[in-house]
Amino acid sequence: MLRRLSCCVLLLLPVFQLLAQSCTPPAEGQSGPNPADFWRQQRLFPRVRAAEATAGPAVASRLRTHYLDPRRLEIMFRLVKTRVELEVWARNRGGGPFELLHAYPLAATSGTLGPKRRAGDYQVPEGFYEIDRFNPNSNFLLSLGLNYPNAADLALGEPNPGGDIFIHGGAASVGCLPITDAGIEEVYLLAITARAAGQAVIPVHIFPFPITEVELARHATSPHLIFWRGLMPGYAHFEKQHEPAELMELAVK
């Protein structure tokens, strides 16, 4: 009975991740009462101005090609580790499901398939997160912070789960997502644009591989199998709808 209860808890924890994601307010100073002020705040930093000069035209071109209005932009990030690229999905607010805008190859990887559980394990987290920090003075040019560890990580992890997981520039990783300097300039500008357009929560979904029955069968002996199966409803929902799953939709599956 205890073992069955433990399995149920493990399967529900990814749902708690989505709850934490949906209820976490933006970090202080990132949007404020007037989100449009966020662009002005970010332009105070030299690296942001430099990124706007070098990568701004490419970002504007991508948005135009996909008929995306910067004033209504919403984005989300998705990483399937075995594909080794960060997907940026985008849409106009109120304009239907997300569409793939661009995929940025990872410049380096670390760890193995499986969630991050403790400091120093070199693992990239897996689950449902959000961007909670904009760092225009990163050691890796620019960076966007994930809200790791979230409630599910704390429930399953070690006493010291670690932290400071970023999407950043450069080509080095100890659990982060490096997408080169050129890549982070574009991604950072897209994130600023979405935040300034009023998007308070920018989701980040990270999976080890496509969470399908076929792939799970290939990893049937993994100690992470129950955890991965708990991610499956969120993965399947997005694959079908191109919308992040809502908490209650997952809870009844």
Side-chain angles (χ1 to χ4, degrees):
M1 180 66 182
L2 180 58
R3 182 179 180 182
R4 183 180 302 172
L5 179 60
S6 298
C7 290
C8 291
V9 170
L10 286 169
L11 286 169
L12 284 173
L13 278 169
V15 177
F16 297 157
Q17 282 190 309
L18 284 175
L19 177 60
Q21 173 180 294
S22 64
C23 294
T24 303
E28 184 177 357
Q30 289 193 350
S31 59
N34 183 4
D37 287 342
F38 193 59
W39 253 122
R40 179 181 55 78
Q41 296 166 6
Q42 286 289 310
R43 283 192 177 108
L44 296 176
F45 298 96
R47 293 181 188 179
V48 176
R49 296 196 300 272
E52 196 172 9
T54 57
V59 170
S61 177
R62 291 194 198 285
L63 296 180
R64 284 196 304 271
T65 299
H66 289 81
Y67 303 100
L68 293 166
D69 181 354
R71 297 165 299 180
R72 299 167 54 208
L73 182 67
E74 292 185 339
I75 64 172
M76 67 169 288
F77 301 116
R78 188 174 77 156
L79 171 69
V80 178
K81 288 182 177 179
T82 54
R83 294 176 182 164
V84 201
E85 57 186 19
L86 179 73
E87 302 170 0
V88 180
W89 294 72
R91 67 181 177 188
N92 289 318
R93 184 172 58 252
F98 282 95
E99 296 182 1
L100 182 62
L101 179 64
H102 193 66
Y104 295 85
L106 297 187
T109 61
S110 63
T112 59
L113 298 183
K116 182 176 181 61
R117 290 290 173 251
R118 65 183 185 278
D121 62 6
Y122 294 92
Q123 288 292 102
V124 175
E126 293 174 1
F128 306 102
Y129 299 95
E130 67 181 62
I131 297 300
D132 69 351
R133 284 161 290 171
F134 286 69
N135 183 3
N137 289 313
S138 171
N139 291 332
F140 300 92
L141 188 64
L142 300 163
S143 61
L144 299 168
L146 276 62
N147 66 328
Y148 173 89
N150 61 19
D153 298 312
L154 293 172
L156 281 174
E158 301 288 334
N160 181 11
D164 289 336
I165 302 298
F166 290 88
I167 301 167
H168 62 62
S173 174
V174 289
C176 293
L177 307 178
I179 55 173
T180 74
D181 289 353
I184 193 58
E185 284 188 329
E186 291 193 16
V187 167
Y188 197 91
L189 293 178
L190 286 166
I192 293 176
T193 302
R195 179 57 57 84
Q199 184 179 6
V201 174
I202 300 175
V204 184
H205 292 185
I206 305 178
F207 304 104
F209 44 76
I211 308 291
T212 64
E213 290 293 351
V214 171
E215 288 293 331
L216 289 173
R218 291 174 180 164
H219 297 85
T221 61
S222 171
H224 306 303
L225 184 63
I226 293 174
F227 171 78
W228 288 335
R229 189 166 288 279
L231 299 179
M232 191 175 186
Y235 178 86
H237 182 93
F238 187 80
E239 281 290 288
K240 183 178 181 180
Q241 305 291 341
H242 287 182
E243 290 271 2
E246 296 291 337
L247 174 68
M248 293 310 297
E249 290 177 353
L250 286 183
V252 299
K253 290 186 183 296

